[in-house]
Amino acid sequence: MDEYPLLNLFWTMLWLFLWVLWFFLLFKVITDIFRDHSLGGWGKAGWLVLVLLLPYIGVLIYLIARGRSMGERDVKQAKENDEAFRHYVRNAAGPAGPSAAEELSKLSALKDKGDITPEEFAQAKQRLLS
């Protein structure tokens, strides 16, 4: 039974990590090519051909040429996703509280029953409307 030295295990794990990292980077670049709305169809096709036919050089050239805008697109996408999530939560949760019309209705009912004076009603109405 052959032994597999610890250093060889380390190198194997390092190469496996770099290989996975490379595929992650490749897919990230391809995703960014298709996500960029400022890039036309021929531009997208050109970058895609470069990245797929010369993967290592193509990805490095893409990162050098468009790395900054790639980060800006990531930030923009994250903000859009966050805003969409907040909008969904606001709509799902419903209104934050009773509307001004409902509050005025309650105040009017209290005034009609005599629980509050007309002056108190006027003050509360002024607070609601301002």
Side-chain angles (χ1 to χ4, degrees), residues 45-56:
W47 278 113
L48 193 60
V49 166
L50 180 67
V51 166
L52 292 177
L53 291 182
L54 301 171
Y56 296 109

Side-chain angles (χ1 to χ4, degrees), residues 109-126:
L110 288 174
K111 183 182 83 163
D112 292 343
K113 288 186 349 186
D115 291 341
I116 60 173
T117 65
E119 293 81 21
E120 291 172 330
F121 173 76
Q123 288 174 352
K125 179 180 171 184
Q126 185 64 29

Side-chain angles (χ1 to χ4, degrees), residues 39-111:
L39 199 57
W42 286 107
K44 289 180 182 185
W47 278 113
L48 193 60
V49 166
L50 180 67
V51 166
L52 292 177
L53 291 182
L54 301 171
Y56 296 109
I57 296 171
V59 167
L60 289 176
I61 291 172
Y62 187 86
L63 290 176
I64 291 168
R66 300 179 52 84
R68 181 179 304 249
S69 61
M70 186 176 174
E72 292 168 357
R73 280 186 294 280
D74 279 342
V75 169
K76 181 182 173 192
Q77 183 70 37
K79 286 180 182 177
E80 288 173 359
N81 289 346
D82 185 52
E83 184 56 37
F85 175 73
R86 289 177 188 271
H87 180 70
Y88 171 76
V89 168
R90 270 189 246 114
N91 287 344
S99 68
E102 292 171 344
E103 289 292 324
L104 282 174
S105 173
K106 290 177 186 177
L107 283 173
S108 177
L110 288 174
K111 183 182 83 163

Side-chain angles (χ1 to χ4, degrees), residues 13-47:
M13 291 182 68
L14 179 67
W15 282 112
L16 180 67
F17 173 75
L18 291 174
W19 185 72
V20 169
L21 184 67
W22 163 249
F23 274 106
F24 175 78
L25 185 60
L26 179 67
F27 291 132
K28 181 76 173 160
V29 166
I30 291 172
T31 302
D32 187 66
I33 290 171
F34 286 108
R35 185 176 50 186
D36 186 7
H37 299 296
S38 66
L39 199 57
W42 286 107
K44 289 180 182 185
W47 278 113

